[in-house]
Amino acid sequence: MAGVGDAGGLRRQRLLTHYDKSRNSYVEGIMEPQCKKRKTKAISTFTWELMPVLSDEELCEVELLEAYAAPIINKRQTSCLIKQLACIYPLNSLPHIKRVRTCRDKNTNHSLEIIICLLRDLNCTDVPNGEISLSDLFPDGKDIGIGLGEPFQVMIPACQPLTRPQFEAASQHWPTTFHENKQVTNALRGHLFNTEERAKVQTFMEKAIKAAKLGKEIGMEPVGAVVVNPATDEVIAVGHDCRNGPNPLLHAVMVCIDLVAYGQGGGAFNHDRYPNCHFKSEASFSGDHAFNTGKPLHPSEDHSPTGVPVNGLPYICTGYDLYVSREPCVMCAMALVHSRIRTVFYATSSPDGALGTKYKIHTKKDLNHHYDVFKGLLEGECQFFS
Amino acid sequence: MDEGGRFRPPEREEQERWMERALGTAKEALENGEVPVGCLMVYHNEILGLGRNEVNETKNATRHAEMVAIDQVLEWCRQKDKDREEVFEHTVLYVTVEPCIMCAAALRLLNIPLVVYGCQNERFGGCGSVLNIPADDLKHSGAPFQSIGGYRAEEAVELLKTFYKAENPNAPKSKVRKKQ
Ligand SMILES: [Zn+2]
Ligand SMILES: [Zn+2]
C-alpha cells in the first residue's frame, strides 16, 4: 500500500503498510523509522469518531402505553393467573412484554406483579380518572380477581426495543424481551472497530480525500470516493466529483459506480479526461476471495461479500464498501441501493444529504436493499472542503 | 413557444400525444426483450432524448431509461452548442413508469420542470410512491418540479407484467415491478 503515509497535513505518522492475511495482522513497513515504540502511540490516537447512522426506529425514544397491573398475592397462583389473563386480555399486540415482573418495592408483602390489560382495552367511559378496582377490570368473572391485589397504573413499552439504549429505557418501565444486536451496541459505544480496523478505514478515507483534492485542482467540487472490496482489502475504484465537467450528474459516487462497472467489463462514461478517476480491472484482482471478517450491522442476504452478480444481474457493488468524503445526495444514495453496496463511510454531513441528514435511504423499509452507514471518519480533515 | 422565456406546461392534448410515443417505445423494448419502460425528453416540440434501460449492457445498475435520455440531451446540447441549463429548464420528461428515487433526484438536480408518467413504481418510486423527491424541501438539490401520474397506467403495467412473466414464470404476480 504505497501512499499510506502521504496524506498531506496529517500530523499522525502512519506506520501500517499492508495487511498480512496469513498472520491476520498488519506488517510494518521497512521505510518506517522506530516502528515498535511509536506504533501503539501513533495508531491509538485518532482524531475522529465513527458513528453509525441508524434508522429512526433504532434511535427514537421508546413509545409507552398506559396499562394496569396488580400485585400477585399468592406467588403459587402465578401460572394459573397468567393462563386466565391470557384468555381475558391476551395482549396480542405486545408479544415482547413480560407479563410478570418482580416487585420493585421491597417493603411490600408481595413479590410479583402482573400486567392485567391496556387502558385502551377498557371501555374508557367506565374508568373514572385512573381510579380503578378489580371489579372494573373483570366485570364478567370476578373470581379471577381473588388472587390479585389492588390494581395500579403503569406505563409499558409499546414495541420491542431495537438497541441497548432503548432496552435500558424500556426496562425502567416494565420488563421486555430484547434480541440484542451486539454489532449495533458496539457501534453505538464506538467499540465496533478496533485500532487496526480504524487504521485501515482511515487509509481508505485518506485516498478519498486525496481524490477530492485532485478533483478540486481541476475545478471540480471537492468530493472524492473510493470503492473497496473488504474481503481482500483491494481498492476497486477511485474517483472524484466531475459534476463541473460536461455531465452535471457525475457526482463522485456515480463516477465510482461506473468505474466499478468498467472493472467488470461494462461502464457507460468515458473517464479518459480524468486520469485521477481509475479502476482496477477484474482480471487483476487477487485470487483471494476469502470472506471478510467484518460483520455487517444489519445482516441481509444482499451482504454477500463475493461480488458475484445475483441472478446474473449487474449488481456491481455487491459486498463492497464505499468511502466518500461527504454525505451523498439522494441520487447517489439511491444509486448505491441499486448497486447493492454493503457499507458506506463518509466524513462530513451535507445539507441535503440522504444518509442521515434529510433522509436515511439506507434504512428505508420499503426498499429492497439496505446498507450500513458510518459517519465522522476523518471529519476534521474534510471540514475545510465544505 | 417563447425561446428562453418561462416554462409553460404543454396542453393536455400535447402531453397525451407524447405519452403515446413513450408507450410505443416501451412496446418496442418489450419486442426486443428489454424491460418495457419508455421515456422521451421533449424540448420545444422536439425529442432530444429517447431512453431505454441499459443496465445489462453497461453492467451499471444506475443506467435507467431516464439517465440514458438525460445523457442524450447533454450530447445534443454539446453538438448544437446550446446552454444545457436553459434546455433542461424547458424540457418535459414523458415516461411510462414513475421515475425511481435516483432518477427523480437527477431530474430535480437538472431543474426539469415537469414529469408526466404512466403507472406508479411501488418499489422505488421517487414521485410519491416511496418518497416524494420533487416536492420535498431540498434547498441545495435543484428546483421542485411538477409530476403528473396515471396516464394510461394500465397499459404500462400490462407491459411490465408481460415482460416479467416471460422472464420468470415463477415470479409472484402481485406487485408491479420496475426492474431497472
Ligand atoms: Zn450525489
Ligand atoms: Zn430510475
Side-chain angles (χ1 to χ4, degrees):
Chain A
M1 263 199 223
V4 154
D6 60 2
L10 288 180
R11 252 170 281 130
R12 259 185 316 283
Q13 181 74 42
R14 307 309 322 279
L15 297 172
L16 306 178
T17 47
H18 73 278
Y19 193 70
D20 184 333
K21 278 182 198 68
S22 57
R23 288 163 60 180
N24 202 32
S25 67
Y26 283 94
V27 175
E28 291 155 4
I30 37 169
M31 315 270 290
E32 304 289 354
Q34 321 158 23
C35 279
K36 275 276 147 58
K37 270 191 181 160
R38 292 183 52 190
K39 184 173 182 177
T40 0
K41 199 181 172 194
I43 59 174
S44 59
T45 50
F46 294 99
T47 56
W48 43 270
E49 220 38 78
L50 207 52
M51 280 307 294
V53 181
L54 300 180
S55 65
D56 291 343
E57 292 80 11
E58 290 170 303
L59 292 173
C60 70
E61 302 234 327
V62 177
E63 203 191 313
L64 298 169
L65 295 171
E66 289 174 287
Y68 285 100
I72 296 174
I73 292 166
N74 184 349
K75 227 168 132 174
R76 272 172 292 178
Q77 282 185 305
T78 305
S79 62
C80 179
L81 284 165
I82 291 173
K83 265 183 221 154
Q84 286 177 298
L85 281 171
C87 291
I88 308 167
Y89 294 115
L91 302 184
N92 286 332
S93 62
L94 304 164
H96 58 285
I97 290 292
K98 295 187 176 170
R99 194 115 197 186
V100 177
R101 76 170 178 194
T102 48
C103 184
R104 290 170 178 186
D105 183 356
K106 294 203 172 63
N107 299 320
T108 58
N109 47 14
H110 61 272
S111 59
L112 297 175
E113 292 168 342
I114 189 163
I115 296 281
I116 298 170
C117 64
L118 291 175
L119 176 64
R120 70 176 183 212
D121 293 337
L122 303 172
N123 190 345
C124 276
T125 51
D126 299 347
V127 185
N129 255 5
E131 286 292 310
I132 203 155
S133 67
L134 285 173
S135 56
D136 296 320
L137 296 173
F138 305 105
D140 305 321
K142 281 181 194 160
D143 41 327
I144 190 177
I146 292 166
L148 296 171
E150 272 309 299
F152 57 94
Q153 213 176 351
V154 284
M155 302 299 279
I156 63 171
C159 23
Q160 176 164 271
L162 298 168
T163 64
R164 181 149 283 273
Q166 285 179 342
F167 174 63
E168 279 159 10
S171 304
Q172 298 286 311
H173 298 277
W174 196 272
T176 157
T177 57
F178 174 47
H179 302 299
E180 182 167 22
N181 181 333
K182 286 258 165 59
Q183 293 288 105
V184 170
T185 300
N186 287 333
L188 280 168
R189 287 182 182 146
H191 294 171
L192 191 60
F193 299 93
N194 64 28
T195 307
E196 274 183 6
E197 287 162 334
R198 284 163 69 93
K200 185 161 70 177
V201 297
Q202 179 171 315
T203 62
F204 292 133
M205 187 59 86
E206 281 165 357
K207 277 197 199 317
I209 294 171
K210 190 178 170 191
K213 286 177 178 167
L214 291 167
K216 195 183 180 194
E217 280 171 15
I218 56 165
M220 297 297 170
E221 285 283 298
V223 189
V226 170
V227 176
V228 174
N229 180 354
T232 58
D233 285 342
E234 278 170 295
V235 172
I236 307 296
V238 180
H240 59 69
D241 213 274
C242 300
R243 79 183 75 176
N244 295 339
N247 189 330
L249 297 182
L250 281 180
H251 296 187
V253 170
M254 302 301 273
V255 170
C256 271
I257 288 173
D258 198 51
L259 288 168
V260 174
Y262 258 99
Q264 299 179 6
F269 298 103
N270 183 350
H271 303 279
D272 289 351
R273 62 159 71 207
Y274 305 117
N276 291 309
C277 298
H278 48 89
F279 62 89
K280 186 167 187 176
S281 79
E282 210 165 40
S284 66
F285 289 175
S286 80
D288 187 356
H289 280 280
F291 277 47
N292 95 91
T293 46
K295 290 181 215 107
L297 275 190
H298 303 97
S300 85
E301 63 271 35
D302 272 316
H303 278 119
S304 148
T306 57
V308 172
V310 184
N311 300 329
L313 293 166
Y315 296 143
I316 55 167
C317 293
T318 303
Y320 290 172
D321 294 348
L322 175 86
Y323 296 78
V324 56
S325 57
R326 90 182 175 208
E327 185 185 358
C329 72
V330 177
M331 174 184 71
C332 292
M334 191 61 196
L336 291 165
V337 171
H338 288 314
S339 304
R340 304 291 197 274
I341 200 84
R342 189 190 78 141
T343 309
V344 171
F345 297 86
Y346 67 81
T348 54
S349 296
S350 55
D352 281 350
L355 299 181
T357 301
K358 279 281 163 94
Y359 306 93
K360 290 175 178 174
I361 300 262
H362 63 294
T363 71
K364 189 110 186 83
K365 281 248 160 57
D366 319 319
L367 299 176
N368 64 344
H369 174 73
H370 303 108
Y371 49 88
D372 292 333
V373 173
F374 295 91
K375 67 171 182 178
L377 175 52
L378 283 180
E379 187 173 17
E381 278 78 354
C382 281
Q383 233 127 38
F384 71 96
F385 282 137
S386 51
Chain B
M1 270 201 191
D2 52 315
E3 190 80 34
R6 282 190 130 209
F7 171 76
R8 267 184 286 129
E11 301 293 326
R12 178 75 192 171
E13 202 178 292
E14 193 194 328
Q15 291 181 19
E16 287 177 7
R17 226 168 359 97
W18 293 119
M19 279 304 283
E20 180 76 41
R21 280 291 296 274
L23 261 174
T25 309
K27 281 176 196 154
E28 275 170 41
L30 183 67
E31 282 155 19
N32 291 300
E34 302 281 350
V35 185
V37 178
C39 87
L40 311 174
M41 301 204 87
V42 178
Y43 169 76
H44 293 328
N45 261 316
E46 190 181 343
I47 298 174
L48 302 191
L50 195 145
R52 66 165 182 80
N53 195 334
E54 289 180 0
V55 167
N56 285 306
E57 54 217 83
T58 61
K59 303 194 181 207
N60 177 335
T62 72
R63 299 304 290 161
H64 291 187
E66 297 92 324
M67 303 299 263
V68 171
I70 287 168
D71 284 346
Q72 290 169 7
V73 178
L74 286 168
E75 184 54 35
W76 183 87
C77 293
R78 242 187 319 273
Q79 280 176 12
K80 304 270 173 179
D81 201 21
K82 297 270 190 186
D83 172 18
R84 70 182 186 218
E85 281 175 36
E86 190 278 330
V87 171
F88 280 117
E89 279 165 19
H90 294 82
T91 294
V92 179
L93 170 73
Y94 298 93
V95 56
T96 55
V97 183
E98 176 190 355
C100 77
I101 293 166
M102 173 189 74
C103 293
L107 295 162
R108 186 177 167 138
L109 287 170
L110 296 169
N111 295 317
I112 298 253
L114 174 64
V115 172
V116 182
Y117 65 88
C119 67
Q120 287 190 318
N121 182 345
E122 301 289 347
R123 294 168 81 214
F124 302 125
C127 299
S129 289
V130 179
L131 287 175
N132 197 343
I133 301 303
D136 283 349
D137 178 29
L138 299 166
K139 291 192 173 56
H140 310 266
S141 307
F145 61 83
Q146 202 195 341
S147 70
I148 305 169
Y151 184 78
R152 293 176 68 175
E154 298 79 13
E155 284 166 78
V157 170
E158 217 39 62
L159 286 174
L160 288 171
K161 278 188 183 163
T162 312
F163 178 81
Y164 287 110
K165 252 183 258 165
E167 191 191 52
N168 180 7
N170 303 317
K173 288 176 203 127
S174 58
K175 272 190 178 169
V176 177
R177 303 192 311 160
K178 182 196 187 190
K179 185 197 64 183
Q180 280 200 344

